[in-house]
Amino acid sequence: MAGETVLALRGVSKRFGAVQALTDIELEVHAGEVVALVGDNGAGKSTLVKAIAGVHQPDEGVIEWQGRPVTIHRPQDAQQLGIATVYQDLALCDNLDVVANLFLGREIRRLGILDEVAMEKRSRGLLDTLSIRIPSVRIPVASLSGGQRQVVAIARALIGSPKVVMLDEPTAALGVEQTAQVLDLVERLREQDHGVILISHNMADVMAVADTVAVLRLGRNNGVFDKRYTNQEEIISAITGATDNAVTRRRARGQEGSQ
Amino acid sequence: MSDHIPGNTPGGEPGRDRVPLPEDSMPTGGVNAPVPVAPEATPAVDPRLIVRQEGIKGYLAEFRRRVSSGELGSLPVVVALIVIWVVFGSLNSSFLSAQNLSNLSQQIVGTGMIALGVVFVLLLGEIDLSVAYVSGLCAALFAVLNVNNGVNQWVALLVALASGAAVGVIHGLFFAKVGVPAFVVTLAGNLGWNGLMLQVLGATGTVNLSGKDIVSRLYTTIYGQQIAAYGAAVIGIALFVIASLVDAARRKAAGVPYRPMTDIVVRTVVLAIIAFLAAYTLNQYKGLPLALLIFLIFIVVLDFVLRRTTYGRKVFALGGNIEGARRAGIDVAWIRISVFSICSTMAAVGGLFLAAQIQSASQTSGGGNLLMNSIAAAVIGGTSLFGGRGKTWSALLGALVIGSIQSGMNIEGLSNAIQFMITGAVLLAAVVVDSLARRTQRAAGRA
């Protein structure tokens, strides 16, 4: 199923003042694998994504890209490595058409002038390969539905041919059909050998497309599950900490005491 | 807990039978169900899309759909212009005379140039309230340097334009780097630059231009030969046709949708009628004013900058979504500073034309309702106050509306009091149309 390891986090920790946001996080993403990152609010999902995307720098630990340790200082560094991030608010310009949004910041030029024809051709090609169906690539993004905007935002992340795509809550605000569209798109990304990190609160979405489910709880790894051998209850238990029992609590207390 | 042992959950592969997949709850029919499309059958086109028919019939249907969904574009201003011309023309036949219209085409250039700069700032969703006195300041600088100090006219012209650019950079720095709201920075500028203008003009307060300097000649030169106006019209139409045909050919070759031939013909014919009517009218009087030609060239060049360069694309992006633009790697501060600089430079250009019009730079330069008129021209022409939508052509259309009203009321001999009230009402009407159009666009899913 999954290919070589593209991105790996080894013991990544991040502090904000008195808050230990991430502690010793381990995560691996392979080519052609969908890793769902789940956890309660405040579990550290967004912090982890920002650490990978270069918004925050981890205090400890190593980020490995294709087996080599790298440092990601700025979002541009992540983009150059081949990590594309689709944030929850999409960051599309409503007044610009689909083509302009897809190529915003990296327009194709011919003799210093925007090459609209080449951009439109590539946009249509890209949208076709992703089987994205939108009315026209020349209408303003404002007139697209929520799901269509989401797929345009994801398509935009793919313009730079990334190896890993991170999607932050891509289905949070979507209806049934739009969610299905986005999930189809995630599967197509996997078929095209992209590594995908999918953040979602929706267990049904996660179970539908993920190959691996990584659970964060209070800034720590709380289990990495292979979707084939797990079920929803088990993951929810890991998310909420309901798997805690007297034994694990005593062990945890013992560790704190010995530190 | 972090190690999962396969198969330790009861029932072998329990995830399979317990987890409801979203696909299970998908509707199998209904209007929103995806229509099965063969992969080779243009999957990027949505079957629900209203596709425009070819030909004039399709053109009219598309036009009706656009208007009903609030994409008014230049329609309100064109209607307003026709109404104004009909009303003033019926009140006094001299309004539509070649002489009056020719003079009008020259008089709108000053305000129009300033409005051209305002269009850029409005595209960002910001406003520049200092343009009037910046135009006065730059005109005063030119007059004082050239007339009082005997500086070479070209040097004086460059200094005036560079001062305009510098003023804009100062506004931009305070706005983009310090974070002061643009209307406060430029409101302070409005007063401050007025003060500097009075300082520059000195004790006498009025500096008369020689009438032979470059600025005066740019304004007063009129090409009297018949061929000039008609030639300019032919060149303009030819450029339009060539650009349309080349674009259509390239699109056809690349296999993307292109403008059908009937469209190009219809647009060319409309443009030709307007251009030749204008040329004919100008030739009935003195001929083609150089000022009008310069104004049109500025509009075309800046239109090209806005629509066909990465810089213009960035300006529009900033007007649409600042955070989105920043994440796309656009240098937000640089674009803001440069746009304010363009605006003030265009104010300087407009100020020089206005000074040439009255042959002097005086303490009243940039005063009166110039500020209101320049901003009103940009808004009336169809550039949105809310940012992200607009064209350089709106400066021409808006300046024509404002100029026509003033010219018509002057012919009718109405007092300033009445003129101010009517101009104010027209500006309010334009902003109301803009706001209503935006609301309709929202309802139609286009804002």
Side-chain angles (χ1 to χ4, degrees):
Chain A
M1 169 197 66
E4 49 152 357
T5 306
V6 191
L7 176 74
L9 274 66
R10 312 273 184 224
V12 167
S13 299
K14 176 72 191 171
R15 276 182 303 275
F16 293 108
V19 180
Q20 184 77 33
L22 298 175
T23 312
D24 286 338
I25 299 293
E26 306 276 334
L27 187 73
E28 281 194 4
V29 183
H30 304 88
E33 180 190 31
V34 178
V35 178
L37 195 58
V38 296
D40 237 332
N41 290 334
K45 304 185 296 291
S46 297
T47 311
L48 188 59
V49 165
K50 283 176 182 165
I52 299 172
V55 180
H56 299 316
Q57 284 69 51
D59 297 321
E60 284 161 38
V62 184
I63 297 177
E64 285 179 13
W65 181 256
Q66 295 178 318
R68 272 170 305 145
V70 290
T71 47
I72 303 174
H73 294 291
R74 299 170 304 154
Q76 287 91 319
D77 295 347
Q79 279 171 14
Q80 272 160 18
L81 285 175
I83 303 172
T85 313
V86 181
Y87 294 97
Q88 203 173 343
D89 63 359
L90 304 185
L92 297 173
C93 292
D94 280 352
N95 58 331
L96 296 179
D97 62 24
V98 175
V99 176
N101 266 294
L102 287 177
F103 285 91
L104 190 59
R106 50 192 158 203
E107 290 87 356
I108 302 176
R109 278 181 295 180
R110 210 174 57 130
L111 308 173
I113 301 163
L114 293 181
D115 192 346
E116 295 284 355
V117 178
M119 286 197 276
E120 187 165 335
K121 197 177 174 189
R122 255 195 81 188
S123 303
R124 295 168 76 88
L126 178 68
L127 296 179
D128 282 356
T129 52
L130 297 172
S131 301
I132 295 173
R133 298 191 304 133
I134 53 175
S136 156
V137 292
R138 280 296 174 196
I139 56 170
V141 167
S143 48
L144 298 181
S145 72
Q148 289 168 336
R149 284 155 178 256
Q150 187 76 52
V151 294
V152 169
I154 296 173
R156 176 160 103 177
L158 298 178
I159 288 276
S161 315
K163 291 209 166 58
V164 171
V165 182
M166 292 197 288
L167 306 172
D168 192 354
E169 300 255 10
T171 59
L174 300 185
V176 175
E177 191 204 337
Q178 287 83 6
T179 302
Q181 269 182 12
V182 171
L183 295 184
D184 286 351
L185 183 51
V186 170
E187 284 185 338
R188 240 163 271 127
L189 294 182
R190 170 170 56 199
E191 283 158 21
Q192 291 169 10
D193 240 21
H194 294 288
V196 180
I197 299 177
L198 172 73
I199 296 184
S200 182
H201 278 297
N202 187 327
M203 275 306 127
D205 295 356
V206 168
M207 297 307 285
V209 294
D211 301 307
T212 311
V213 182
V215 181
L216 290 188
R217 176 163 162 74
L218 303 177
R220 292 169 187 268
N221 280 111
N222 205 17
V224 177
F225 302 90
D226 188 325
K227 195 207 63 183
R228 287 169 298 176
Y229 308 115
T230 188
N231 60 25
Q232 205 165 330
E233 281 87 49
E234 195 175 27
I235 293 170
I236 291 178
S237 310
I239 292 171
T240 57
T243 43
D244 278 1
N245 55 37
V247 178
T248 56
R249 275 173 188 263
R250 263 163 53 88
R251 195 186 301 143
R253 234 189 351 240
Q255 279 173 355
E256 276 169 26
S258 65
Q259 275 171 1
Chain B
M1 185 58 239
S2 62
D3 285 320
H4 176 70
I5 303 150
N8 72 339
T9 40
E13 286 193 4
R16 282 276 165 246
D17 47 63
R18 276 197 226 149
V19 179
L21 297 172
E23 285 87 336
D24 299 338
S25 57
M26 283 287 294
T28 50
V31 284
N32 282 335
V35 180
V37 177
E40 61 274 15
T42 60
V45 176
D46 192 310
R48 287 167 286 169
L49 174 70
I50 309 150
V51 180
R52 200 181 114 201
Q53 300 159 284
E54 275 196 29
I56 295 172
K57 201 177 162 194
Y59 217 73
L60 287 175
E62 166 81 1
F63 178 74
R64 217 172 297 136
R65 188 192 61 69
R66 275 172 169 264
V67 170
S68 63
S69 64
E71 284 175 84
L72 302 177
S74 305
L75 181 69
V77 61
V78 171
V79 170
L81 200 56
I82 292 171
V83 169
I84 290 165
W85 284 21
V86 166
V87 168
F88 283 119
S90 61
L91 286 174
N92 193 327
S93 59
S94 66
F95 178 77
L96 287 179
S97 67
Q99 180 184 358
N100 191 47
L101 292 180
S102 292
N103 286 338
L104 183 64
S105 75
Q106 237 175 327
Q107 287 156 4
I108 62 167
V109 172
T111 312
M113 286 285 191
I114 303 177
L116 204 45
V118 174
V119 166
F120 273 75
V121 175
L122 289 181
L123 281 178
L124 289 188
E126 303 296 338
I127 198 151
D128 189 333
L129 298 175
S130 70
V131 282
Y133 282 119
V134 171
S135 77
L137 170 67
C138 296
L141 277 173
F142 174 82
V144 168
L145 285 177
N146 182 229
V147 178
N148 290 6
N149 297 331
V151 174
N152 177 289
Q153 54 177 355
W154 291 100
V155 175
L157 179 70
L158 279 180
V159 169
L161 294 179
S163 310
V167 164
V169 169
I170 294 171
H171 290 162
L173 282 174
F174 274 102
F175 169 56
K177 292 289 186 189
V178 185
V180 186
F183 87 94
V184 178
V185 175
T186 55
L187 195 58
N190 188 40
L191 190 62
W193 304 123
N194 185 15
L196 185 59
M197 178 187 92
L198 297 177
Q199 188 81 37
V200 167
L201 285 170
T204 56
T206 302
V207 180
N208 289 319
L209 296 180
S210 64
K212 294 197 184 68
D213 55 288
I214 178 68
V215 170
S216 302
R217 277 186 285 133
L218 283 180
Y219 184 79
T220 51
T221 302
I222 294 178
Y223 297 114
Q225 307 90 328
Q226 296 272 316
I227 188 71
Y230 288 128
V234 168
I235 290 172
I237 295 163
L239 285 176
F240 177 79
V241 170
I242 291 170
S244 302
L245 290 179
V246 167
D247 187 57
R250 275 199 72 210
R251 289 179 159 271
K252 206 170 177 177
V256 296
Y258 57 93
R259 209 177 267 291
M261 206 54 188
T262 47
D263 262 33
I264 297 178
V265 171
V266 168
R267 293 161 74 95
T268 307
V269 168
V270 171
L271 179 73
I273 291 172
I274 296 171
F276 279 109
L277 264 182
Y280 173 78
T281 313
L282 292 173
N283 276 341
Q284 288 297 100
Y285 187 51
K286 282 185 187 165
L288 175 69
L290 177 59
L292 179 65
L293 188 62
I294 295 174
F295 185 33
L296 290 176
I297 290 172
F298 261 99
I299 290 175
V300 171
V301 169
L302 290 179
D303 183 55
F304 185 84
V305 168
L306 278 182
R307 293 194 302 118
R308 290 275 176 266
T309 65
T310 47
Y311 178 78
R313 184 57 52 82
K314 288 172 185 173
V315 172
F316 275 102
L318 225 59
N321 184 341
I322 294 167
E323 191 51 38
R326 188 175 284 131
R327 292 220 198 112
I330 294 172
D331 188 343
V332 175
W334 149 246
I335 297 290
R336 283 175 164 170
I337 293 170
S338 62
V339 162
F340 272 87
S341 185
I342 288 174
C343 179
S344 295
T345 309
M346 289 313 298
V349 173
L352 292 173
F353 276 107
L354 288 172
Q357 194 174 333
I358 57 169
Q359 281 296 302
S360 71
S362 72
Q363 289 179 335
T364 56
S365 292
N369 51 7
L370 179 62
L371 171 64
M372 229 39 235
N373 282 351
S374 339
I375 295 175
V379 177
I380 289 172
T383 294
S384 175
L385 277 172
F386 304 101
R389 276 160 223 274
K391 286 185 182 142
T392 54
W393 291 97
S394 51
L396 173 67
L397 289 169
L400 261 180
V401 168
I402 299 260
S404 301
I405 292 174
Q406 282 186 335
S407 156
M409 289 190 296
N410 282 336
I411 290 175
E412 288 300 305
L414 295 179
S415 68
N416 262 352
I418 308 282
Q419 290 201 13
F420 282 7
M421 285 192 274
I422 291 181
T423 312
V426 170
L427 172 59
L428 185 63
V431 180
V432 166
V433 168
D434 182 25
S435 305
L436 288 182
R438 193 177 157 81
R439 209 163 66 183
T440 321
Q441 281 173 4
R442 272 185 201 283
R446 292 219 163 221

